[in-house]
Amino acid sequence: MSTGWNREQIAARVAQDIPDGSYVNLGIGIPELVAQFVPEGREFIYHTENGLLGMGPPPSDEERDLDLMNAGKKYVTAMPGAAYFHHADSFSMIRGGHLDVCVLGTLQVAANGDIANWSTGELDAVPAVGGAMDLVQGVKQIFVVTQHTTKTGEPKLVERCTYPLTGVGVVSRVYSDLAVIDITPDGFQLVELAPGVTFDEVKTKTGATLRPPAGSN
Amino acid sequence: MINKVCPTVAQAVADIPDGATVMVGGFGASGSPIELLHALIDQGAKNLTVINNNTGNGEVGLAALIANGQVSKMICSFPRSSQSRVFPKFYKEGKIALDLVPQGTLAERIRAAGAGMPAFYTPTTVGTVLAEGKEQREFEGRTYVLERWLKADYALIKCETADPLGNLTYNKTARNFSPLMCMAATTTIVQTRRLVERGEINPEHVVTPGIFVDRVVEVSEPVHEDILIAEGRRYP
């Protein structure tokens, strides 16, 4: 039986890999938690698609401003030195390659770096894409955070995505409750196991070939 | 002397005809021109195509316009959210059409229309179903998708400060799509929390220059979508 990482621990592990001074966009869910685990001595500047660079933590009731939200439509604050701008400037930062890291949740991620995180393709569902397709194309590094398997035990790390794609070959690294895994030209490669988790367990729960860490046998 | 001030929201939206394409500023609740939307509900124009990032929340503002049967098509990036009930219901019943556009492409298509650029290439959607049927071209070894400008007959916009020439400033993230929409619509109608004299806005602080604005109406205490929803309000 494995222990693995909980949501906060996954977020904390992601934060370790973000260099000081990075401009970062965080998706909704576990990615949002990354902001709580900035390593000592580092500064990240957060971008939110709806027009704010320098996003701060949620406001107190007294601080709350109805005109100050993030892309998830939650109330936020602005840090000293923040800037507001319109949507075309915001997506110029994204598409123009000015942001360093984007952390996203997903439905599936494939061994070739494809990501599917906007639609399960069900015909009666209301499709919604938001800014995901722009983010995955434009931001320099795409980190994906996810539970390793679905609630019913299906792998979310797969050989090829079966859900509609958000982007092709764009993901660099995957952080799950079980492991950190790189996307390499040769597919998934283990970087690090969560505490109490074995390579064989991760391999079994991964829907594509998983190679051991570089330098090991 | 130029004076774009309009006395009431009702007069500001009076000439919007059936079948018009209307851009509506705002991202979720922030920047949503609720008073102009409610005036459009009172006015009753039908068969509208509406362009907004979302589809409104609760049963006020844009959601109320849809609930009132005035919107035949939405062009947006994210038509559902936790408080969005009207659009999903209408969509599943086949009462409203949806043109789904990625958020950055939506912004750039609107900007392009305002800037007089009929089309542009973007890396967004390459390899996805949203690129199907669109012209693609390689530049410097990377594939891009051709997207066209997105124009409108009217834009309904909320701002913080306006002068009689139509120079505008916004408040925080309530800015979002609004400056782009002001440029892209034939007729831009703005509700402002503060109407000030000509010269009171520092020219260095103007976000939307008045050339992009046609009508300004003062709404000094605008209601906010989130507050109306929390109070369980609906319109009409």
Side-chain angles (χ1 to χ4, degrees), chain A residues 200-216:
Chain A
D200 282 345
E201 181 187 356
V202 180
K203 201 174 172 179
T204 306
K205 291 179 174 173
T206 300
T209 305
L210 176 67
R211 297 188 310 125
S216 68

Side-chain angles (χ1 to χ4, degrees), chain A residues 1-24:
Chain A
M1 200 178 122
S2 69
T3 48
W5 284 309
N6 64 25
R7 290 162 55 89
E8 285 72 19
Q9 288 166 327
I10 299 173
R13 181 61 189 79
V14 174
Q16 295 295 325
D17 288 347
I18 302 176
D20 183 33
S22 293
Y23 289 95
V24 178

Side-chain angles (χ1 to χ4, degrees), chain B residues 85-106:
Chain B
R85 295 185 298 273
V86 174
F87 178 85
K89 182 169 176 288
F90 274 54
Y91 181 75
K92 285 175 185 175
E93 290 170 357
K95 291 179 182 166
I96 193 164
L98 170 66
D99 185 356
L100 190 71
V101 181
Q103 202 172 121
T105 301
L106 183 64

Side-chain angles (χ1 to χ4, degrees), chain A residues 118-128, chain B residues 79-80 87-88 91-92 98:
Chain A
W118 70 284
S119 165
T120 56
E122 288 170 37
L123 290 174
D124 62 338
V126 180
Chain B
R80 57 177 152 80
F87 178 85
Y91 181 75
K92 285 175 185 175
L98 170 66

Side-chain angles (χ1 to χ4, degrees), chain A residues 60-84:
Chain A
S60 64
D61 284 349
E62 302 78 61
E63 282 177 316
R64 194 180 71 159
D65 185 318
L66 295 172
D67 283 338
L68 185 42
M69 292 181 151
N70 66 13
K73 308 308 195 290
K74 288 181 186 151
Y75 293 107
V76 294
T77 52
M79 301 295 287
Y84 298 113

Side-chain angles (χ1 to χ4, degrees), chain B residues 12-13 15-16 36 154-157 187-191 215 217:
Chain B
V13 304
D15 64 345
I16 299 179
L36 287 174
Y154 291 85
L156 304 183
I157 300 298
T187 303
T188 293
I189 305 167
V190 178
Q191 66 169 79
R215 299 171 197 163
V217 56

Side-chain angles (χ1 to χ4, degrees), chain A residues 35-46:
Chain A
Q36 298 174 22
F37 299 100
V38 179
E40 187 77 32
R42 287 189 221 175
E43 181 184 22
F44 305 158
I45 293 183
Y46 299 105

